[in-house]
Amino acid sequence: MPPRDLTILVGVMVLLGLVIWGTAGRWSARAIGGLGLLVALVGSFYLYIVLAPASPTSVLVASGLFVGSALLFRLLSTFEQ
Amino acid sequence: MTRRPYFISMPVDVAVMGGVSIALYVILWLINANARTSTVISLGAALVWIINYPHFSATSYRLYRSQDNIRQYPLTAYAVPVLLVAGAVLSLQSPTVIAPFFVKFFQIWSPYHFSGQTFGIGMLYARRAGISLRPLERTCLRWFIFSTYVSLIATIETGQRQYQFFGVTYPALGIPLVISQLALVAMYALGIAVLALFVLTPLTRGRQVAWMTLLLALTQFVWFGLGQRLPSFAEFIPAFHSLQYLLVAWSVHLKERLDEERQAGSMAFVSAESGYWLLANTLGGFMLFWGLPHVATRVGGYDINLTTAVFFSAIQIHHFFVDGVIWKLKNPRVLSPLLVNIDDLLRSKPSQLATATAVAPGAALR
């Protein structure tokens, strides 16, 4: 697996984390919460790419990705609320 | 304003919100039209231009045409598109590692989004009919609708299959069959509970039945529970979902425009504004779904199938975000038009429109 692609994803997460750190106290809680969800989204996508190839042979990974996705979508329905 | 549960009329609303879906399913099932024939594919491909793509455009149009909306949802308006463009670029650069999962992410999110809309419009119709659903009824309805999603995904993602989306191949998760079977049992159990709560209980207690809400739930069941076994029908599910959306979005748009213009409702205004709105969104859909992939191919030299798969995914994920916020407008100055109907749009005076349609801020499709 080419590490460059995944490194960029981690970089985006770090960047978003820094934005949250830099804007904490200046932006509304709603905006900070929204940024937090974006970090979770990018992180979930990263996990998806890393774990999905193993999921057909691992019940635990497959179930985890399935349940995790549904929970993530539920969380994202509160985005910027 | 006259309180009526329908946006246009009972026959039209019933047809759009599920009647046509269910009728088509029954017809295709009766004639055993199991195959996804070239006719079905061609018809499906034609419908996307006039129904599916405009529905995505309508969402973006609603968000970006109003500075108030943009200010209220800056992350959705600015940050999410930037993130998705980054995701699209990464996918184009990495067609075998990132792109398959970018597409897959959208593919498993999409039916969740459908479920959210079904629940939201179902609640909206109950509200329009003046029916106050109890927490248990709401919860049961929500769980039933989302159980169709779980059942669908659990079925699709069972086993070691590969799927394709415009040439981008992505794997099934390989969910154990037992989860799929459990999800199916849960869906039917919750369906029975919904029927009991929404039909038997009101009828035995002399209360009004939320028929439109039930229709939405039944339609969802036909789409996700039954329709997936009939590929000729499944081809049209996105169009049916989009059609539901367009009816609500059109009505809301007209009401907002009338309020902005401080005009009285009239056939001339409704016709002109409807024509403009439809044209704008048809063109918008064309630019999004044809323009963006072709520009990316032209500029970056990528394969058109890859750019189509990636941008279709990005646009739709953006739609899921936008849709999640624009129907929950909390700006107290914005009076929600979700309860308006065609008679109000055609005949009301400006003052009537502005005051009679006030809905609690946050009255939502989702």
Side-chain angles (χ1 to χ4, degrees), chain A residues 5 30 48 52 55 74 80-81, chain B residues 72 76 94 108 112 173 324:
Chain A
D5 305 326
R30 196 182 68 147
Y48 225 89
S55 70
R74 176 73 188 95
E80 281 209 295
Q81 298 300 319
Chain B
Q72 197 171 358
T76 306
S94 177
I108 59 167
Y112 186 93
L173 287 177

Side-chain angles (χ1 to χ4, degrees), chain B residues 69-267:
Chain B
N69 288 353
I70 293 172
R71 271 195 296 273
Q72 197 171 358
Y73 304 112
L75 291 180
T76 306
Y78 297 121
V80 171
V82 168
L83 199 63
L84 289 172
V85 167
V89 170
L90 268 178
S91 298
L92 294 175
Q93 294 286 330
S94 177
T96 56
V97 176
I98 304 276
F101 296 100
F102 195 63
V103 168
K104 186 168 182 63
F105 220 64
F106 134 69
Q107 291 281 2
I108 59 167
W109 195 343
S110 183
Y112 186 93
H113 162 79
F114 280 37
S115 307
Q117 176 174 300
T118 296
F119 179 73
I121 298 181
M123 294 303 296
L124 176 62
Y125 270 105
R127 183 187 283 248
R128 288 178 67 99
I131 298 170
S132 179
L133 296 179
R134 291 171 300 166
L136 177 64
E137 291 166 337
R138 274 179 70 109
T139 303
C140 202
L141 178 70
R142 184 193 293 272
W143 278 80
F144 168 65
I145 289 170
F146 282 94
S147 74
T148 65
Y149 164 77
V150 172
S151 177
L152 170 73
I153 294 295
T155 304
I156 291 174
E157 299 293 335
T158 299
Q160 300 196 8
R161 286 178 269 188
Q162 298 276 327
Y163 294 103
Q164 276 215 354
F165 186 65
F166 289 96
V168 173
T169 305
Y170 57 95
L173 287 177
I175 294 170
L177 186 63
V178 66
I179 292 186
S180 169
Q181 291 165 335
L182 286 173
L184 201 64
V185 171
M187 180 181 74
Y188 280 105
L190 285 162
I192 291 168
V194 164
L195 278 177
L197 284 170
F198 279 74
V199 180
L200 283 183
T201 308
L203 286 179
T204 52
R205 294 183 183 174
R207 284 169 34 203
Q208 197 179 349
V209 176
W211 291 114
M212 286 301 289
T213 307
L214 271 175
L215 173 67
L216 268 297
L218 175 64
T219 304
Q220 172 89 9
F221 170 70
V222 170
W223 289 352
F224 289 0
L226 304 177
Q228 299 301 319
R229 296 174 207 158
L230 205 57
S232 57
F233 175 76
E235 188 81 22
F236 300 107
I237 293 172
F240 292 137
H241 159 84
S242 303
L243 199 60
Q244 288 180 340
Y245 186 92
L246 283 172
L247 176 61
V248 179
W250 165 78
S251 176
V252 166
H253 175 76
L254 288 184
K255 167 63 174 65
E256 286 182 342
R257 291 290 297 132
L258 278 172
D259 283 353
E260 286 167 11
E261 299 289 321
R262 296 183 184 280
Q263 284 200 21
S266 70
M267 178 59 85

